[in-house]
């Protein structure tokens, strides 16, 4: 398939492109869902095609096709070039690309057991047993479990001489319990909401999740939530588990430091950012306890790869260091605007999509102590766990996030359970009030496989390494 | 540019899957899509794309067990391979006692929704349209997207059902931004290329941006709001997710579960789903091949019923309404062509009737807070104004709302006489008017 990508690049150059790159991508996925001891579905999908990106006189063009015959490759390359020509209808500063050394090589997600080779019977049996135990809890209305597997093989070539082959494998699974009664519906998930915990790994990741072992607790908490008190509305100390810190980082930090958003390239749809190009090294984004790292080399992360979709090698660099904003996540084009090298974050969700600046693994650096230590050190406050709802404004400032469950913290102990907890804040104020970040013991590298951005909308798979954290003076319990 | 493959060739592709043998039933869902999107920011075209793809999704039934496999291909061989994969899955899947069977043969009402001009729109045409929008935003920065999309979809099954339909859609949106921090949004959806009013979109976005310069703070609280159609489409669209689906209703997850025949909205509010209307987009049959029917969801404020696919129809003893999503579908049936009936007010009359309130152009990044209570949260964006003494007083910084949709529909006091089509993604749409709603809850604000 590398030959197809090279042929596409050659065809684009022959059609007049000054620069071209091409990706042949073949994606396979397998998804199983069990609900109340019935198969909701087993779905196996595959998609393969070619995407060609060209620069002509400083204007971009992109075209993609599922047809890989020679004639179609040429037609698609010519169309990409024609699209670039059409873009010059509105004059602009020509696009320039930050320099990158042409790369040649292969990358494969390290794994012990190819999840696609595990018999379906074994996968079904795991989900059936885990959900049987959830459903055995009296009061559980629905017990659901799912397994999701993903494999992407890509072949990248560029007119600068790059030739890269990569195979990325992601595996994940989760269970959830739903209890319905008295006009309420409550859900608990394990290990995380929205299909569980997904990682760049093989079946060994799913085997270690402990779905069966955690099933009863998951069901019990869903039922208990039905009769729990509503989370009170107050300004208080908020402790978040690492799963909710994942969402907090994703929405209020990860998207805010995407350089394409900062430069206005997503203005009309996903929005822009409160962070400006001049803020590097001068914006206090968070308290001194907060250091955020982008790391596309992190084992197990959904944002881990060998090279991004521009052939830029995977990198690790600080985004926020001791509370100060340091670096954007960027592409060759956006980095060039600031006169910087690309940080290697340009990714597409398939052959049919134009690469965009996407998060890699955006993680909080662990500090000290466990979740229990943080709670033990809190006199009064609310502990919230597991994301349920998220909303943030178009500049990533005002957010309101909901969680599945919460407890009152009194004198260092979890006491009363609360249902329907949520909290709201303004991004730099909220992060500025962070006064505790947990240590390595409770730090988890979560996967976010559903990050939407771009037009046509793309769904990126990104990672967030997260520890529990504490925030002071937060408005919780927002009601209509 | 490609055109439709056409029903005859699609049937040949599907027949290769239907004929695999060793199965009690086979269903093929074939989708072929193509189109271009020209994206602009800072008043220049910065991303332009075009793609063509297919999806051959095969569902195989074997001894009461179901397997689904899909691949993107164009040939009978690829269709057959997907079917064999689905058959293999069905061989090991657990039995599905609720499987209702495949759709029986039924006639499909022909629709004429393929506009050749949209299907073959060129990058030069899209660029020219974008230039028209940008040209109307003089002195402002313009951003947005212009997409021309085409789709043909077919369902064939071993019961003898065969349905095929093509359609097209052109969508144009723009956000204009002023130096003074004002932003303005406008969009249009058209089923024929000639109806794309680029000048109108550009002028509306520019006018809003200019008039929303230097926005002021407004304290959160309960206000009377005038929601333009784009904002109303968010409320109505979320009702599709949390209200009208037959499975959610059946399982008690819907905010309308158990409320059939009850008042859930103001007497002036009527919402229905109708894929057969010429005023909407999409296919006249669902993803199981069942003809879509018009379904009255809320009539004069009373909730009547939701939408049903074959499975939920069997479970409830009702007739399927033609609202299945592609298999496998744990979410259940879903209305994709919602309408809210217009009233008799103009936007100006709604504003004039408001002593103190907020005019909202659109919402941003809304999400569910509490499904059963139909509560969602989100932000205003790109044109939010204070109304004082019946007039637009001044622009305001964006507000966060946290609001029950059913409560908002109950507190609806005026309904616009014009409706606009909005589409969050290619398969779904809603056509809604502007609304005036009392007691709408704003719970926070942003800095811009």
């Amino acid at each position: 398939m590398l030959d197809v990508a090279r042929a596409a690049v050659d065809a684009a150059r022959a059609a007049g492109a000054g620069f071209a790159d091409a990706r042949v991508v073949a994606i396979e996925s397998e998804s199983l869902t069990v609900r109340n001891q019935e198969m909701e579905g087993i779905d196996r999908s595959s998609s393969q095609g070619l995407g060609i990106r060209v620069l002509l006189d400083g204007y971009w063009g992109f075209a993609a096709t599922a047809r890989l015959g020679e004639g179609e490759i040429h037609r698609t390359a010519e169309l990409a070039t024609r699209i670039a020509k059409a873009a010059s209808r509105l004059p602009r500063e020509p696009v320039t690309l930050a320099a990158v050394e042409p790369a040649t090589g292969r990358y494969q997600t390290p794994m012990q057991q190819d999840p696609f080779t595990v018999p379906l019977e074994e996968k079904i049996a795991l989900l059936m047993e885990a959900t049987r135990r959830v459903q055995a809890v009296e009061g559980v209305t629905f017990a659901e479990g799912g397994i999701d597997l993903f494999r992407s093989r890509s072949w990248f070539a560029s007119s600068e001489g790059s030739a890269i082959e990569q195979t990325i494998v992601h595996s994940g699974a989760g269970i959830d319990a739903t209890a319905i009664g008295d006009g309420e519906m409550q859900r608990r998930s394990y290990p995380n909401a929205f299909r569980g915990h997904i990682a760049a790994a093989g079946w060994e990741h799913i085997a270690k999740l402990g779905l069966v072992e955690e099933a009863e607790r998951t069901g019990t908490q869903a039922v208990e939530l039905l009769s729990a008190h509503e989370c009170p509305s107050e300004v208080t100390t908020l402790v978040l588990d690492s799963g909710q810190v994942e969402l907090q980082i994703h929405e209020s930090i990860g998207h805010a430091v995407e350089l394409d958003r900062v430069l206005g390239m997503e203005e009309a749809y996903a929005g822009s950012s409160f962070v400006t190009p001049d803020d590097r090294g001068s914006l206090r984004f968070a308290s001194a306890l907060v250091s955020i790292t982008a790391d596309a080399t992190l084992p197990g992360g959904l944002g881990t790869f060998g090279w991004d979709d521009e052939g830029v090698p995977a990198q690790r660099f600080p985004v926020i260091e001791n509370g100060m904003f340091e670096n954007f996540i960027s592409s060759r084009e956006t980095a060039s605007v600031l006169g910087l090298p690309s940080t290697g974050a340009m990714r597409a969700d398939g052959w049919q999509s134009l690469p965009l600046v996407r998060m890699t693994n955006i993680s909080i650096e662990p500090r000290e102590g466990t979740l229990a230590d943080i709670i033990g050190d809190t006199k009064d406050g609310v502990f919230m766990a597991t994301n349920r709802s998220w909303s943030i404004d178009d500049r990533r400032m005002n957010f309101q996030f909901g969680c599945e469950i919460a407890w009152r913290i009194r004198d260092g102990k979890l006491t009363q359970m609360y249902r329907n907890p949520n909290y709201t804040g303004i991004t730099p104020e909220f992060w500025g009030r962070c006064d505790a970040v947990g240590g390595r013991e409770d730090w988890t590298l979560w996967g976010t496989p559903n990050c939407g951005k771009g037009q046509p909308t793309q769904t990126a798979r990104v990672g967030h390494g997260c520890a529990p954290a504490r925030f002071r003076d937060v408005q919780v319990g927002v009601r209509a | 540019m490609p055109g439709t493959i056409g029903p005859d060739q699609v049937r040949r592709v599907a027949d290769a899957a239907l004929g695999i043998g060793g199965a009690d039933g086979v269903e093929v869902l074939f989708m072929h899509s193509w189109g271009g999107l020209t994206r602009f920011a800072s008043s220049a075209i910065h991303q332009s794309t075009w793609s063509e793809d297919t999806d051959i999704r095969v569902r195989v039934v074997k001894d009461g067990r179901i397997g689904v496999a899909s691949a993107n291909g164009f040939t009978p061989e690829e269709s057959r391979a997907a079917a064999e994969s689905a058959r293999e899955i069905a061989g090991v899947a657990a039995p599905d006692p609720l499987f209702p069977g495949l759709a029986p043969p039924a006639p499909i009402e022909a629709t004429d929704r393929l506009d050749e001009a949209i299907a073959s729109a060129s990058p030069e045409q899209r660029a020219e349209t974008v230039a028209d929008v940008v040209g109307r935003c003089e002195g402002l920065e313009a951003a947005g997207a212009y997409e021309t999309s085409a789709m043909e979809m077919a369902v064939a099954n071993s019961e003898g059902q065969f349905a095929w339909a093509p359609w097209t859609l052109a969508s144009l949106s723009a956000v204009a931004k002023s130096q003074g921090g004002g932003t303005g949004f406008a969009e249009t959806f058209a089923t024929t290329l000639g109806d794309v009013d680029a000048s109108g979109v550009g002028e509306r976005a520019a006018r809003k941006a200019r008039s929303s310069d230097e926005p002021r703070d407004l304290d959160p609280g309960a206000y009377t709001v005038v929601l333009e159609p784009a904002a109303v489409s968010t409320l109505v669209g979320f009702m599709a997710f949390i209200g009208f689906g037959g499975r959610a209703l059946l399982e008690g997850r819907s905010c309308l579960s158990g409320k059939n025949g009850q008042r859930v909205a103001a007497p002036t509010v009527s919402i229905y789903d109708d894929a057969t209307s010429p005023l909407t987009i999409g296919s006249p049959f669902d993803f199981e091949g069942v003809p879509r029917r018009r379904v009255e969801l809320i009539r004069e404020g009373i909730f009547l019923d939701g939408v049903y696919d074959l499975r939920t129809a069997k479970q409830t003893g009702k007739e399927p309404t033609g609202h299945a999503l592609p298999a496998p579908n744990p979410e259940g049936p879903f209305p994709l062509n919602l309408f809210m009936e217009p009233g008799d007010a103009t936007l100006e009359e709604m504003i004039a009737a408001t002593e103190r309130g907020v005019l909202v152009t659109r919402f941003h990044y809304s999400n569910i807070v509490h499904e059963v209570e139909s509560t969602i949260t989100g932000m205003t964006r790109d044109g939010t104004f204070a109304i004082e003494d019946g007039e637009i007083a001044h622009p305001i910084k964006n507000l966060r709302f946290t609001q029950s949709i059913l409560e908002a529909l109950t507190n609806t006091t005026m309904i616009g006489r014009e409706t606009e089509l909005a589409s969050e993604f290619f398969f779904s749409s809603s056509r809604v008017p502007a609304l005036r709603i009392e007691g709408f809850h704003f719970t926070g604000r942003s800095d811009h």
Side-chain angles (χ1 to χ4, degrees):
Chain A
M1 287 297 183
L2 207 47
D3 289 345
V4 174
R6 284 192 179 112
V9 168
D10 292 344
R13 291 298 301 272
F19 165 89
D21 61 25
R23 289 173 300 112
V24 177
V25 183
I27 290 176
E28 300 164 78
S29 63
E30 187 176 284
S31 178
L32 295 85
T33 304
V34 165
R35 194 182 200 194
N36 284 8
Q37 294 299 287
E38 288 163 10
M39 286 305 310
E40 285 283 334
I42 305 175
D43 183 7
R44 211 179 258 168
S45 297
S46 64
S47 176
Q48 178 173 296
L50 164 71
I52 306 171
R53 188 178 70 145
V54 306
L55 258 183
L56 177 65
D57 298 331
Y59 294 88
W60 284 120
F62 176 85
T65 181
R67 307 173 197 252
L68 297 183
E70 190 178 339
E72 190 62 27
I73 292 170
H74 280 268
R75 272 192 295 276
T76 305
E78 286 162 8
L79 178 56
T81 309
R82 187 176 156 197
I83 287 170
K85 276 183 192 155
S88 68
R89 171 66 181 79
L90 288 168
R92 61 171 289 187
E93 195 69 28
V95 171
T96 57
L97 300 178
V100 61
E101 282 292 311
T104 304
R106 291 185 177 187
Y107 174 84
Q108 161 112 32
T109 301
M111 62 179 170
Q112 294 166 22
Q113 187 177 11
D114 183 347
F116 288 90
T117 65
V118 173
L120 282 171
E121 293 90 332
E122 186 176 337
K123 295 166 182 166
I124 294 167
L126 172 62
L127 293 178
M128 285 291 188
E129 178 58 17
T131 53
R132 186 187 66 76
R133 293 193 184 203
V134 174
Q135 209 170 356
V137 176
E138 190 176 343
V140 169
T141 311
F142 303 113
E144 189 166 310
I147 291 174
D148 296 291
L149 310 177
F150 170 87
R151 174 161 52 212
S152 165
R153 290 180 297 154
S154 64
W155 297 265
F156 172 87
S158 79
S159 57
E160 296 172 333
S162 287
I164 296 166
E165 183 177 345
Q166 301 195 80
T167 301
I168 307 285
V169 176
H170 296 165
S171 304
I175 53 173
D176 61 64
T178 304
I180 299 175
D182 296 330
E184 265 298 327
M185 179 171 71
Q186 293 295 330
R187 183 175 292 127
R188 275 300 276 148
S189 310
Y190 176 83
N192 210 344
F194 312 110
R195 306 286 288 187
H197 187 179
I198 304 178
W203 182 253
E204 68 279 0
H205 168 72
I206 293 175
K208 285 191 297 194
L209 287 176
L211 300 184
V212 172
E213 292 77 5
E214 292 291 333
E216 184 179 348
R217 181 189 61 81
T218 304
T220 300
Q221 287 187 345
V223 175
E224 288 173 351
L225 277 167
L226 275 186
S227 54
H229 282 85
E230 291 284 321
C231 180
S233 181
E234 61 180 315
V235 175
T236 189
T237 295
L238 175 66
V239 177
L240 300 178
D241 77 336
S242 72
Q244 178 59 22
V245 171
E246 173 200 13
L247 187 281
Q248 184 72 49
I249 290 174
H250 181 90
E251 297 289 2
S252 65
I253 297 179
H255 279 305
V257 299
E258 293 166 340
L259 189 49
D260 57 345
R261 292 182 70 115
V262 171
L263 296 176
M265 296 165 73
E266 293 287 328
E267 181 84 52
Y269 187 62
S272 58
S273 174
F274 69 91
V275 184
T276 70
D278 296 332
D279 284 338
R280 290 175 66 238
S282 62
L283 172 68
R284 175 156 290 284
F285 199 117
S287 74
L289 272 179
V290 177
S291 289
I292 301 287
T293 302
D295 188 355
T297 71
L298 197 58
L302 297 198
T304 300
F305 45 78
W307 295 266
D308 76 356
D309 286 337
E310 290 187 307
V312 178
Q315 298 169 39
R316 173 186 167 88
F317 61 91
V319 173
I320 294 172
E321 203 153 26
N322 300 326
M324 299 301 292
F325 172 64
E326 297 294 339
N327 287 299
F328 294 106
I329 51 179
S330 65
S331 62
R332 296 182 67 187
E333 177 190 359
T334 55
S336 172
V337 173
L338 302 191
L340 298 169
S342 167
T343 57
M346 195 66 159
R347 293 196 290 156
D349 69 353
W351 57 267
Q352 73 283 7
S353 300
L354 181 69
L356 301 172
V357 176
R358 305 309 301 251
M359 291 174 232
T360 54
N361 303 301
I362 311 297
S363 307
I364 193 164
E365 291 300 311
R367 294 287 181 175
E368 283 184 13
T370 63
L371 172 62
D373 293 336
I374 295 174
I375 291 169
D377 181 50
T378 304
K379 185 167 178 51
D380 181 65
V382 173
F383 167 58
M384 296 190 192
T386 316
N387 180 254
R388 181 169 111 176
S389 174
W390 61 97
S391 173
I392 190 164
D393 76 28
D394 57 307
R395 293 181 68 227
R396 301 279 144 177
M397 281 294 259
N398 178 303
F399 62 81
Q400 182 171 312
F401 301 142
C403 291
E404 289 185 350
I405 194 167
W407 287 268
R408 186 93 225 168
I409 305 172
R410 282 217 196 282
D411 297 326
K413 291 190 170 56
L414 296 183
T415 58
Q416 186 176 29
M417 180 186 288
Y418 294 141
R419 72 185 185 192
N420 303 323
N422 65 10
Y423 63 99
T424 188
I426 299 293
T427 294
E429 292 173 8
F430 180 83
W431 281 105
R433 293 172 186 159
C434 179
D435 76 342
V437 176
R440 182 68 64 182
E441 308 95 303
D442 282 338
W443 189 93
T444 303
L445 178 51
W446 296 107
T448 302
N450 58 346
C451 175
K453 184 178 175 182
Q455 291 173 292
T457 303
Q458 298 185 39
T459 305
R461 308 169 73 86
V462 308
H464 299 290
C466 299
R470 184 175 63 195
F471 304 85
R472 300 292 188 182
D473 301 324
V474 179
Q475 174 68 55
V476 305
V478 182
R479 296 275 170 274
Chain B
M1 302 296 164
T4 57
I5 293 169
D8 294 341
Q9 177 60 17
V10 169
R11 193 187 284 269
R12 275 192 284 278
V13 171
D15 281 348
L18 299 182
I20 56 164
D24 301 326
V26 181
E27 172 194 271
V28 179
L29 167 63
F30 180 89
M31 291 182 282
H32 174 216
S33 59
W34 68 97
L37 187 147
T38 298
R39 210 171 178 210
F40 54 107
S42 304
S43 301
I45 294 170
H46 70 308
Q47 292 170 3
S48 277
T49 63
W50 183 91
S51 68
E52 181 192 16
D53 197 9
T54 65
D55 186 44
I56 305 172
R57 179 163 292 266
V58 183
R59 178 162 58 158
V60 167
V61 188
K62 187 177 178 184
D63 300 328
R65 302 160 192 262
I66 313 297
V68 178
S70 72
N72 67 330
F74 295 84
T75 66
E77 292 74 23
E78 289 160 315
S79 173
R80 185 179 180 85
E84 287 169 349
S85 182
R87 185 178 59 192
E88 179 196 342
I89 294 169
V92 296
D96 179 359
L98 297 176
F99 179 64
L102 301 174
I108 303 294
E109 191 177 324
T111 53
D112 180 19
R113 292 178 177 169
L114 179 72
D115 180 59
E116 290 292 350
I118 292 178
S120 61
S122 68
E124 293 82 7
Q125 284 174 295
R126 285 190 293 276
E128 203 57 46
T129 298
V130 167
D132 193 354
V133 173
V134 171
R136 307 283 163 169
C137 297
E138 198 176 339
L140 305 166
E141 281 197 356
Y146 180 36
E147 182 169 25
T148 52
S149 315
M151 164 75 81
E152 65 181 314
M153 173 174 139
V155 176
N157 70 29
S158 52
E159 297 295 309
Q161 173 66 329
F162 181 82
W164 175 88
W167 69 94
T168 46
L169 178 67
S171 60
L172 173 65
S173 63
V175 170
K177 188 176 174 185
S178 75
Q179 300 242 333
T183 59
F185 169 79
E187 69 178 343
T188 187
F189 295 85
T191 52
T192 59
L193 201 67
D195 288 340
V196 177
D197 179 12
S199 305
V201 166
E203 283 168 7
R204 277 188 287 142
R207 192 165 54 243
K208 281 226 156 146
R210 292 190 180 105
S211 59
S212 60
D213 254 353
E214 308 295 341
R216 303 181 202 169
D217 277 320
L218 183 71
D219 286 338
Y223 289 87
T224 295
V225 290
V226 176
L227 305 183
E228 294 195 8
V232 174
S233 76
T234 297
L235 304 187
V236 174
F238 267 96
M239 285 301 294
F241 276 104
I242 61 178
F244 297 133
R247 183 164 190 181
L249 286 163
L250 178 68
E251 294 177 344
R253 293 184 288 114
S254 165
C255 59
L256 295 168
S257 290
K259 294 182 180 173
N260 298 60
Q262 295 180 22
R263 175 163 302 287
V264 296
T268 48
V269 171
S270 292
I271 299 173
Y272 60 96
D273 186 85
D274 187 8
T276 67
S277 166
L279 298 175
T280 189
I281 61 169
S283 161
F285 53 90
D286 71 7
F287 297 93
E288 293 179 319
V290 174
R292 294 188 184 279
R293 298 181 186 178
R294 174 172 167 141
V295 179
E296 304 293 330
L297 301 162
I298 295 174
R299 170 59 50 190
E300 297 176 352
I302 307 295
F303 172 57
L304 298 180
D305 208 347
V307 296
Y308 296 90
D309 56 9
L310 287 169
R311 176 183 290 259
T312 51
K314 182 183 177 186
Q315 286 177 281
T316 56
K318 299 182 179 188
E319 288 293 310
T321 58
H323 289 85
L325 294 180
N329 171 29
E331 293 305 313
F334 196 93
L336 295 176
N337 301 91
L338 288 168
F339 288 77
M340 179 181 275
E341 287 199 348
D344 56 6
T346 64
L347 196 69
E348 291 72 24
E349 287 168 348
M350 293 185 208
I351 294 167
T354 303
E355 189 179 333
R356 187 161 185 263
V358 176
L359 172 64
V360 178
T361 297
R362 68 160 166 164
F363 292 128
H364 171 81
Y365 213 151
S366 303
N367 209 332
I368 298 162
V369 172
H370 195 294
E371 287 174 69
V372 180
E373 293 175 358
S374 74
T375 302
I376 65 172
T377 187
M379 295 295 301
T380 66
R381 190 180 165 184
D382 299 329
T384 311
F385 301 89
I387 302 171
E388 293 174 5
D389 300 325
E391 293 182 347
I392 294 175
H394 54 81
I396 56 174
K397 292 179 182 175
N398 287 306
L399 295 167
R400 168 168 298 286
F401 71 95
T402 305
Q403 175 65 47
S404 156
I405 301 171
L406 289 178
E407 183 188 69
L409 294 177
T410 299
N411 293 343
T412 297
T413 53
M414 297 174 82
I415 300 179
R417 66 168 66 150
E418 306 288 340
T419 60
E420 290 182 16
L421 187 68
S423 176
E424 289 287 326
F425 60 101
F426 192 63
F427 284 104
S428 81
S429 69
S430 58
R431 182 174 277 282
V432 296
L435 297 180
R436 181 181 182 276
I437 300 168
E438 294 182 352
F440 196 87
H441 296 277
F442 291 110
T443 54
R445 64 183 162 200
S446 194
D447 67 333
H448 62 289

